[in-house]
């Protein structure tokens, strides 16, 4: 019995209370067993008394060895539960997207969200000169909307599921509007359009449709930093810069294009196309007919795709003429299935929040694939109906495009003049909502680290949010994008005062 008790304690079979009852029972044996031994014969005393008592006192003298601490059931259960703050694993692709929050774009957006300038509420806050938005002519659109807004939406036909690639009625007026933007020199076909919720999904669909993961598009740098997000994040396609410098006003030359293509091909990377903005973002330069013809000839010769972002087509300044790639295609016999246009209403009309993007292509397979994928990024029918009514008013649209161009030109010239007064130069621009300003002389040394230090100082100390050249893959440190169409005249004046104060003592 004592041996069984000993084994049960060591193995933890019995609970502590049960063991204590057994031990008290053994203590009683200290009196009972000797009496039984004396009555049990010659060896009764030895067998019935000495051996049991010796075993009992051995157990009592070694309590630490026998009475092992037993974990309570509740404690064992608590240890098995995983802490609630441990996150379940996610994909490497998603982690890469999260890491983008540490980019200058993400940092600037966070600062504007938490500390944006407001004349009344936050007069010392940061002024947004880093977001390319066109707010200069919203009053004209608001006036039109207040006049016609009550009669814009018809739910009888379009409240349910419709063609995700876009309403036919909207495509017709949108094609006519795009022709108007191009000066009436180009006719666009509604059947060659797929509508998406902004130019971002349009660009991503093209990357998905034209290249495999690991393959690449070439792009002249500096370029719009959002292309990294649009091309790389989900399609896993590479975007390789074609370096352009200040010695050519950041314009692409045939020599640099050819050498870059050759060098990248030698590395075993498959080049599927060239992506280019016209007007250029962030520089604001325009590609003329000669440059477009040369670019088109190069891509046709290499049998690679040409993707042209023309989203700033109506944002050219007075005295400057925009030429669409569609106009060049009409002049000679090209293989048009290699050419694709990206457009939208975010810049030319200032309707970024409406999320209207256009994929225009001469490739029937691309159009078929894009039409199917548009289900994931369709434009709402309410937005399409409203925009159909807006763009159908040709008299208003002609007036709007003329006035918007006048206002953009006036604002651009004012910004350049004011910057020159404080010792800041810029590249001559012909279009867009921004200018490419030169702060190389402010840097303590010509390095990207110094460029970022200056950018952070301007963002957090001076209260001016610009886009650093590093974000645009500019090889020359010290260049920044200055977006001038997102603020009103009063806010712009405050920005110039801050620039002037900083340039008087440019220490960072």
């Amino acid at each position: 019995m004592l041996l069984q008790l000993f084994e049960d304690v060591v193995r933890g079979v019995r609970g502590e209370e049960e063991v204590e009852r057994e031990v008290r029972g053994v203590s009683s044996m200290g009196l009972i067993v000797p009496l039984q031994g004396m009555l049990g014969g010659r060896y009764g005393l030895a067998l019935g008394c000495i051996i049991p008592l010796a075993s009992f006192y051995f157990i009592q003298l070694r309590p630490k060895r026998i009475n092992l601490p037993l974990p309570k059931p509740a404690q064992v259960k608590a240890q098995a539960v995983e802490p609630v703050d441990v996150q379940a694993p996610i994909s490497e692709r998603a982690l890469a997207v999260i890491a983008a929050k540490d980019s200058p774009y993400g940092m600037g957006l966070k600062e504007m969200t938490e500390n944006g300038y407001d004349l009344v509420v936050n007069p010392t806050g940061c002024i947004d000169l880093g977001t390319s938005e066109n707010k200069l002519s919203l009053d004209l659109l608001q006036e039109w909307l207040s006049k016609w807004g009550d009669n814009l939406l018809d739910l009888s036909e379009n409240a349910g599921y419709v063609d995700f690639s876009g309403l036919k009625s909207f495509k017709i007026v949108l094609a006519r509007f795009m022709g108007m933007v191009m000066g009436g020199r180009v006719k666009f076909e509604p059947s060659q359009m797929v509508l998406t919720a902004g130019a971002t999904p349009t660009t991503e669909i093209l990357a998905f449709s034209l290249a495999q993961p690991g393959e690449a598009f070439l792009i002249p740098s500096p370029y719009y930093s959002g292309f990294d997000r649009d091309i790389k994040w989900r399609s896993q396609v590479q975007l390789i810069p074609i370096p352009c410098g200040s010695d050519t006003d950041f314009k692409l030359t045939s020599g640099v294009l050819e050498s870059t293509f050759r060098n990248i091909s030698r590395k075993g990377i498959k080049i599927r196309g060239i992506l280019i903005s016209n007007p250029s973002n962030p520089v604001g330069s325009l590609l003329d007919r000669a440059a477009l013809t040369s670019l088109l000839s190069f891509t046709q010769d290499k049998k690679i795709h040409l993707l042209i972002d023309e989203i700033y087509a109506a944002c050219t300044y007075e005295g400057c003429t925009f030429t669409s790639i569609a106009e060049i295609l009409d002049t000679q016999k090209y293989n048009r299935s290699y050419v694709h246009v990206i457009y939208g209403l975010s810049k030319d009309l200032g309707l970024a929040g409406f999320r209207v993007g256009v994929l225009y292509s001469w490739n029937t397979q691309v159009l078929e694939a894009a039409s199917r994928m548009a289900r994931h990024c369709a434009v709402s029918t309410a937005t399409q109906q409203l925009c159909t009514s807006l763009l159908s008013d040709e008299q208003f649209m002609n007036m709007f495009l003329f006035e918007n161009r006048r206002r953009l030109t006036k604002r651009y010239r004012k910004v350049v003049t004011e910057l020159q007064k404080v010792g800041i130069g810029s590249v001559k621009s012909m279009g867009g909502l921004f200018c490419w300003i030169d702060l190389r002389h402010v840097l303590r040394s010509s390095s990207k680290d110094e460029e970022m230090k200056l950018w952070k100082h301007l963002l957090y100390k001076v209260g001016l949010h610009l886009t650093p050249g590093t974000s645009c893959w500019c090889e020359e440190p010290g260049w920044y994008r200055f977006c001038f169409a997102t603020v009103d005249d009063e806010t712009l004046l405050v920005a110039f005062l801050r620039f002037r104060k900083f340039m008087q003592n440019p220490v960072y």
Side-chain angles (χ1 to χ4, degrees):
M1 178 180 178
L2 287 173
L3 291 175
Q4 182 64 43
L5 176 62
F6 177 79
E7 291 177 359
D8 288 349
V9 171
V10 173
R11 294 175 182 175
V13 174
R14 305 188 188 186
E16 292 178 347
E17 295 181 358
E18 186 177 351
V19 172
E20 289 177 1
R21 288 196 299 270
E22 293 288 345
V23 172
R24 286 196 296 270
V26 172
S27 299
S28 299
M29 291 174 58
L31 294 176
I32 296 173
V33 174
L35 293 175
Q36 291 178 340
M38 287 185 292
L39 298 174
R42 180 178 180 181
Y43 299 104
L45 181 62
L47 296 175
C49 180
I50 297 176
I51 295 176
L53 286 177
S55 300
F56 167 72
Y57 287 118
F58 174 77
I59 294 172
Q60 296 299 312
L61 292 174
R62 302 294 296 272
K64 293 181 180 180
R65 186 173 182 179
I66 297 175
N67 296 328
L68 298 176
L70 302 176
K72 296 181 180 180
Q75 293 175 332
V76 174
K77 184 177 181 180
Q79 293 173 358
V81 176
E82 191 176 69
V84 295
D85 60 343
V86 175
Q87 294 290 306
I90 63 175
S91 71
E92 293 294 332
R93 292 173 298 181
L95 290 174
V97 173
I98 294 173
K101 69 180 180 180
D102 298 324
S103 67
Y105 175 83
M107 295 167 63
L109 182 63
K110 180 180 179 181
E111 179 66 12
M112 292 309 307
T113 301
E114 298 177 353
N115 187 36
Y117 172 84
D118 185 278
L119 178 61
V120 178
V121 179
N122 191 23
T124 62
C126 190
I127 297 175
D128 189 7
L129 304 175
T131 304
S132 182
E133 282 189 293
N134 185 4
K135 296 183 178 181
L136 297 185
S137 302
L138 290 181
D139 60 311
L140 301 177
L141 295 173
Q142 187 64 57
E143 183 180 350
W144 181 92
L145 187 63
S146 63
K147 182 179 180 181
W148 301 101
D150 294 338
N151 302 313
L152 294 180
L153 301 182
D154 179 10
L155 301 181
S156 61
E157 296 183 0
N158 299 317
Y161 289 114
V162 296
D163 185 350
F164 292 106
S165 71
L167 299 176
K168 184 177 180 180
S169 57
F170 183 37
K171 288 181 179 180
I172 291 173
V173 298
L174 187 53
R176 188 167 61 241
F177 172 74
M178 289 174 63
M180 182 189 303
V181 168
M182 313 306 173
R185 299 182 301 275
V186 182
K187 182 179 180 180
F188 292 93
E189 295 295 333
S191 61
Q192 293 175 218
M193 285 183 175
V194 174
L195 306 186
T196 65
T200 287
T202 295
T203 308
E204 184 185 61
I205 287 174
L206 282 173
F208 184 90
S209 302
L210 302 179
Q212 299 288 348
E215 295 178 342
F217 293 129
L218 300 182
I219 182 170
S221 67
Y223 63 79
Y224 166 54
S225 61
F227 280 142
D228 286 332
R229 167 201 64 209
D230 302 349
I231 298 291
K232 298 177 181 180
W233 278 11
R234 296 201 295 187
S235 297
Q236 302 291 298
V237 175
Q238 297 187 66
L239 202 55
I240 300 177
I242 307 171
C244 304
S246 58
D247 56 333
T248 62
D249 286 338
F250 299 98
K251 293 179 181 179
L252 178 64
T253 64
S254 58
V256 174
L257 174 59
E258 183 67 50
S259 63
T260 302
F261 183 90
R262 185 170 54 252
N263 293 336
I264 298 303
S265 298
R266 286 173 177 171
K267 295 179 180 180
I269 300 175
K270 185 67 175 180
I271 299 173
R272 286 297 184 182
I274 296 176
L275 172 62
I276 197 163
S277 298
N278 188 32
S280 165
N281 180 4
V283 179
S285 56
L286 280 173
L287 292 174
D288 57 19
R289 297 179 66 90
L292 288 170
T293 301
S294 176
L295 191 59
L296 189 55
S297 298
F298 179 86
T299 54
Q300 294 277 300
D301 179 63
K302 303 295 184 182
K303 290 184 171 53
I304 60 176
H305 294 272
L306 178 59
L307 293 72
I308 298 281
D309 180 2
E310 298 184 346
I311 200 167
Y312 292 99
C315 292
T316 54
Y317 309 142
E318 293 175 343
C320 304
T321 301
F322 172 79
T323 303
S324 172
I325 192 66
E327 186 176 346
I328 305 299
L329 285 176
D330 289 339
T331 61
Q332 297 184 38
K333 290 184 178 180
Y334 295 102
N335 186 340
R336 302 184 180 193
S337 65
Y338 282 98
V339 183
H340 320 274
V341 175
I342 301 166
Y343 187 66
L345 302 183
S346 298
K347 313 302 181 181
D348 287 350
L349 293 185
L351 298 176
F354 279 38
R355 310 309 303 143
V356 178
V358 181
L359 189 163
Y360 192 88
S361 178
W362 289 263
N363 189 307
T364 56
Q365 289 183 311
V366 167
L367 291 171
E368 178 65 22
S371 296
R372 294 174 180 270
M373 287 187 281
R375 185 183 186 95
H376 302 290
C377 52
V379 186
S380 75
T381 53
T383 298
Q384 292 187 67
Q385 285 188 44
L386 192 155
C387 290
T388 298
S389 299
L390 174 64
L391 300 184
S392 296
D393 191 340
E394 293 190 34
Q395 182 178 358
F396 172 79
M397 291 314 307
N398 275 310
M399 181 277 293
F400 177 88
L401 292 176
F402 176 84
E403 179 61 18
N404 183 65
R405 190 183 195 192
R406 187 192 69 81
R407 294 183 183 186
L408 278 174
T409 304
K410 180 181 178 181
R411 175 61 68 87
Y412 167 71
R413 291 172 178 171
K414 178 178 178 59
V415 167
V416 171
T417 300
E418 292 298 324
L419 289 174
Q420 288 176 342
K421 290 180 180 179
V422 297
I424 300 176
S426 62
V427 176
K428 182 180 180 180
S429 178
M430 291 177 279
L433 310 175
F434 34 74
C435 56
W436 192 235
I437 67 173
D438 185 3
L439 292 176
R440 288 177 295 175
H441 58 296
V442 179
L443 299 183
R444 290 176 295 199
S445 63
S446 181
S447 70
K448 293 182 179 180
D449 287 341
E450 286 299 314
E451 178 185 277
M452 290 304 298
K453 288 178 182 178
L454 175 57
W455 173 77
K456 289 180 180 179
H457 180 82
L458 292 172
L459 179 67
Y460 297 118
K461 301 299 182 181
V462 182
L464 297 172
H465 175 214
L466 303 171
T467 303
T470 298
S471 295
C472 304
W473 293 86
C474 180
E475 290 198 340
E476 298 179 20
W479 293 90
Y480 298 81
R481 188 182 71 163
F482 182 119
C483 297
F484 54 72
T486 190
V487 296
D488 56 30
D489 289 335
E490 291 74 16
T491 304
L492 189 63
L493 177 60
V494 176
F496 288 141
L497 291 174
R498 293 181 181 182
F499 263 121
R500 182 177 296 111
K501 182 178 180 181
F502 170 72
M503 292 301 292
Q504 289 173 350
N505 184 27
V507 178
Y508 60 96

